[in-house]
Amino acid sequence: MKFVYILLVTSILTAQEHYPKDYFRLPLDIPLQLSGNFGELRPNHFHAGFDFKTNQVEGLSVHAAADGYVSRIKISTAGYGKAIYITHANGFTTVYGHLQKAMGIIQEKIIALQYENKNYEIEAYFKPGEIPVKKGEVIALSGNTGGSEGPHLHFEFRDNKTEKIINPLFFGLDLKDDKNPIVSSLLVYPIDNTSTVNESKRPVHLNLSLQKDGTYLSEKVLANGRIGFGISAVDFDDVSYNPNGVYKTQLISNGKPIFGYEFNEMVFDEARYVNALIDYPRYKKTHQRVQKLFMKHPYNWSNINQNVNDGIISVSPNFLSLQRIEVSDYFQNKTIINIPVEYSIKKAKIDEEIQPTKYFIKSKVESNFEKDNVSVYFPAGTFYDDFYLNFDVKDGIVFLHEDVVPAHSYFTISIEDTKSDVEDRKKMFIASLYGNKWNYNTTKLVGSTFTCKTKTLGQFQLMKDTIAPKVTIAKSIENKWLTGVKTIQLTISDDLSGVKSYNGYLNDKWVLFEYEPKTKKITHTFDDVLLLEGQNKLKVVVTDNVGNSTIFETHFFRSQKK
């Protein structure tokens, strides 16, 4: 399948005029279906490209979208997993993520770098001419590596000069879409404690009714003071059959756009602003992502393209207006919601949820709080909004609010321990509670004080890990003949501080094991060059984050004779 030209309205053509429509081909040979689109709301980030479905299988051929050269390779157990970056002469780079394996000279280069660095995880950059590729060349097989939750191919475009990520649809992707976006929820928010909406000082859901002209009319908003709106919306195309993110959203007041954003391109370092855009407390409690069409405190997200009074509407006596929200996809399918707003003097029957504490955080000012042996430091700009912080220390556990307030940047937690001896401290770290499990945080120890940096509020405590990781094999190979066997696989795990490193040795020489954290498996593919005729010795050393190690050793036999 090839990229084809898509005729769009003049405004969209103007925005895309410098993007080639027939230069790139699709990276897969199967019909195009998306499991994720550009700008889609994801945990802690906006999605940076397209996720192509691969028929729920791995191993499909992945083709170079155009002539170019491999400029970067990154192999990781997280993120994009196995990823290849190809730079093209027309000023753009294409990215291919969650790969099962690379092919040809690219795979040879990866393995050489892994052996050179004695590490499965690598990152390397290359100059033009080192690894050239041709349009349509098979560069890899599709997979499910890294942070992927199922087999698919992540594909994206980046501008070589600005390094911005660009909406793949600008390059003429042939994706049929005749469907309007769907708005499943509309909320109105009182912005401050002097505002009231429909006799409430809390956000209120507004009912929608479909009109004859295809637009929606919400129930009337009776308000006073400053208010804002939020929507929960998704978009469908004609072939993918699953919800994706919306392309463009606008709030229009008195005929003029006062707040809006669209996903033409993105700055990679701004991805975390998704937590400022959505109603984060609602998302953490209900898993519903409501996109706010206002900013209580301004934040510097480049995708905001209209902004008057931060999208906030001031409702005062004699105010009577029809607000409008327009939600559009890239193909100009549009959903319109009209919202009548009228001033009301009725007092609130439902009060605020806010409960004041003695720890108040002003988002633009640094804060430092201490209690017992614990101190917490929040740099200026850690949070998007001001709020009252719940902070306490009981029975060694630090109660630092809960994960319903998003942090944009790292803050520091310090815990002094004067009870443990020096040897015990070597095995200790600051753990955070996630669900019902305590997780490791990278921890520094200076004297008797432990510190860690994190972006998530919640519960923390010092924990000690003296138990070494587990290393198991499904079926023993001790003193058995493995002639003709292509791979060997072990399971590695650590129940507390987590696996930090693992190393495999075949006949005392380091060998590559590939690690898949989702299954806790490490896999070695045998290379005849490294094997001996007859007996072979295998050793695997697994170390956790506080230095506990387990050594797994076994012997097997192999015949190299053909």
Side-chain angles (χ1 to χ4, degrees):
M1 185 182 294
K2 296 182 178 180
F3 283 85
V4 299
Y5 179 81
I6 301 174
L7 182 62
L8 299 174
V9 297
T10 302
S11 62
I12 295 297
L13 282 173
T14 302
Q16 318 166 44
E17 59 187 8
H18 61 290
Y19 298 115
K21 303 298 188 295
D22 55 3
Y23 189 90
F24 297 98
R25 60 155 284 164
L26 285 173
L28 298 173
D29 289 329
I30 61 174
L32 168 62
Q33 286 187 309
L34 298 180
S35 60
N37 68 345
F38 187 77
E40 185 172 279
L41 310 179
R42 298 283 181 88
N44 298 315
H45 70 284
F46 299 102
H47 190 235
F50 276 175
D51 284 344
F52 291 157
K53 293 182 180 181
T54 57
N55 297 330
Q56 299 181 333
V57 299
E58 299 183 39
L60 300 186
S61 294
V62 177
H63 302 268
D67 291 357
Y69 70 94
V70 175
S71 54
R72 180 186 180 193
I73 293 172
K74 185 173 183 180
I75 310 296
S76 173
T77 57
Y80 291 170
K82 297 181 181 181
I84 295 172
Y85 299 69
I86 298 178
T87 295
H88 307 280
N90 66 344
F92 300 100
T93 292
T94 50
V95 183
Y96 312 75
H98 305 305
L99 304 170
Q100 183 188 81
K101 65 176 293 186
M103 300 295 286
I105 190 173
I106 306 174
Q107 179 68 3
E108 293 173 6
K109 178 65 73 172
I110 290 171
I111 292 176
L113 287 168
Q114 288 171 325
Y115 272 90
E116 180 182 331
N117 291 276
K118 294 185 177 180
N119 202 328
Y120 168 66
E121 295 190 280
I122 58 165
E123 183 173 17
Y125 295 84
F126 304 93
K127 297 178 180 178
E130 286 190 71
I131 313 179
V133 295
K134 290 291 185 181
K135 183 176 183 177
E137 179 180 338
V138 178
I139 59 168
L141 300 179
S142 67
N144 185 29
T145 56
S148 172
E149 295 182 355
H152 72 277
L153 174 68
H154 176 87
F155 181 67
E156 66 184 61
F157 288 92
R158 298 188 184 185
D159 186 292
N160 293 345
K161 291 183 179 179
T162 65
E163 297 186 351
K164 289 183 178 180
I165 314 156
I166 303 163
N167 192 328
L169 287 173
F170 281 178
F171 296 87
L173 185 63
D174 185 15
L175 181 67
K176 185 173 176 55
D177 183 354
D178 295 317
K179 298 179 179 180
N180 293 337
I182 295 174
V183 177
S184 58
S185 296
L186 169 65
L187 284 82
V188 58
Y189 290 78
I191 299 300
D192 46 47
N193 57 13
T194 62
S195 304
T196 301
V197 291
N198 292 7
E199 301 182 53
S200 175
K201 288 190 173 294
R202 301 182 189 180
V204 174
H205 277 276
L206 297 174
N207 294 319
L208 300 176
S209 59
L210 180 63
Q211 305 300 292
K212 291 181 179 180
D213 63 357
T215 65
Y216 288 86
L217 180 66
S218 87
E219 64 177 291
K220 184 181 291 186
V221 175
L222 300 174
N224 62 72
R226 301 195 308 153
I227 66 171
F229 293 98
I231 60 166
S232 180
V234 296
D235 188 37
F236 288 83
D237 59 53
D238 295 354
V239 296
S240 300
Y241 311 112
N242 56 272
N244 289 311
V246 297
Y247 168 67
K248 183 178 181 179
T249 304
Q250 282 187 310
L251 173 62
I252 299 168
S253 181
N254 296 322
K256 295 181 180 180
I258 65 169
F259 197 80
Y261 42 86
E262 60 186 325
F263 291 97
N264 296 323
E265 56 187 27
M266 290 191 296
V267 177
F268 204 83
D269 291 341
E270 295 181 358
R272 198 170 176 86
Y273 279 125
V274 67
N275 292 334
L277 174 66
I278 66 172
D279 182 339
Y280 190 82
R282 184 178 298 274
Y283 165 64
K284 297 304 292 188
K285 293 174 182 177
T286 69
H287 301 291
Q288 179 191 38
R289 291 188 177 97
V290 173
Q291 306 166 53
K292 295 181 293 185
L293 305 182
F294 65 91
M295 295 187 293
K296 193 171 182 179
H297 292 88
Y299 53 89
N300 297 317
W301 182 40
S302 302
N303 291 67
I304 296 173
N305 56 7
Q306 288 108 17
N307 184 13
V308 178
N309 297 325
D310 297 327
I312 295 172
I313 299 163
S314 296
V315 182
S316 55
N318 301 318
F319 185 96
L320 180 63
S321 177
L322 191 68
Q323 309 297 311
R324 187 166 86 249
I325 295 174
E326 295 184 356
V327 184
S328 310
D329 65 22
Y330 175 87
F331 300 95
Q332 299 303 293
N333 302 304
K334 186 181 295 185
T335 296
I336 296 174
I337 301 172
N338 291 303
I339 312 165
V341 179
E342 183 179 327
Y343 176 76
S344 172
I345 60 173
K346 291 183 178 180
K347 295 183 179 180
K349 295 180 180 179
I350 302 175
D351 209 350
E352 298 178 89
E353 288 184 283
I354 297 174
Q355 295 182 347
T357 71
K358 63 180 180 179
Y359 305 104
F360 185 70
I361 289 181
K362 293 184 177 180
S363 59
K364 305 302 180 185
V365 180
E366 67 177 3
S367 302
N368 191 75
F369 303 118
E370 297 182 357
K371 183 172 183 180
D372 298 342
N373 61 329
V374 176
S375 66
V376 185
Y377 172 67
F378 299 106
T382 300
F383 301 100
Y384 304 111
D385 296 321
D386 304 345
F387 70 103
Y388 285 100
L389 175 79
N390 292 313
F391 174 45
D392 205 353
V393 181
K394 294 180 180 178
D395 300 323
I397 298 178
V398 182
F399 295 88
L400 193 59
H401 211 77
E402 57 181 318
D403 184 21
V404 294
V405 177
H408 187 73
S409 55
Y410 287 102
F411 57 90
T412 304
I413 299 172
S414 299
I415 304 176
E416 186 179 12
D417 172 45
T418 57
K419 298 179 181 179
S420 304
D421 59 33
V422 174
E423 289 303 310
D424 281 343
R425 288 177 190 151
K426 292 179 181 179
K427 301 294 183 182
M428 294 172 66
F429 62 95
I430 297 177
S432 54
L433 185 63
Y434 184 80
N436 296 318
K437 189 178 187 310
W438 289 96
N439 290 334
Y440 174 85
N441 290 290
T442 301
T443 304
K444 292 185 178 180
L445 174 62
V446 177
S448 60
T449 301
F450 296 84
T451 61
C452 75
K453 293 182 180 294
T454 181
K455 292 181 180 179
T456 307
L457 296 168
Q459 296 181 31
F460 302 83
Q461 70 168 324
L462 283 178
M463 300 192 77
K464 183 169 66 173
D465 183 0
T466 59
I467 301 174
K470 297 177 182 177
V471 183
T472 59
I473 188 168
K475 190 175 181 180
S476 175
I477 61 171
E478 184 75 23
N479 292 323
K480 294 182 179 179
W481 285 90
L482 299 185
T483 302
V485 175
K486 294 182 179 180
T487 62
I488 187 170
Q489 192 172 77
L490 303 174
T491 300
I492 63 174
S493 63
D494 188 84
D495 291 335
L496 192 51
S497 63
V499 173
K500 180 180 182 181
S501 66
Y502 65 94
N503 287 281
Y505 302 90
L506 186 59
N507 301 316
D508 298 321
K509 293 182 179 180
W510 188 91
V511 291
L512 174 66
F513 274 84
E514 296 198 0
Y515 181 35
E516 179 46 71
K518 291 190 288 287
T519 61
K520 301 181 180 180
K521 306 287 187 184
I522 58 172
T523 304
H524 171 67
T525 300
F526 285 122
D527 184 340
D528 289 346
V529 174
L530 301 174
L531 291 164
L532 300 176
E533 179 69 24
Q535 182 173 282
N536 288 264
K537 180 172 64 174
L538 177 69
K539 180 170 75 171
V540 175
V541 182
V542 182
T543 305
D544 66 19
N545 278 292
V546 295
N548 301 305
S549 291
T550 295
I551 298 176
F552 173 90
E553 293 184 286
T554 189
H555 295 79
F556 63 91
F557 292 90
R558 180 103 173 187
S559 176
Q560 302 299 89
K561 296 178 181 179
K562 296 182 180 179

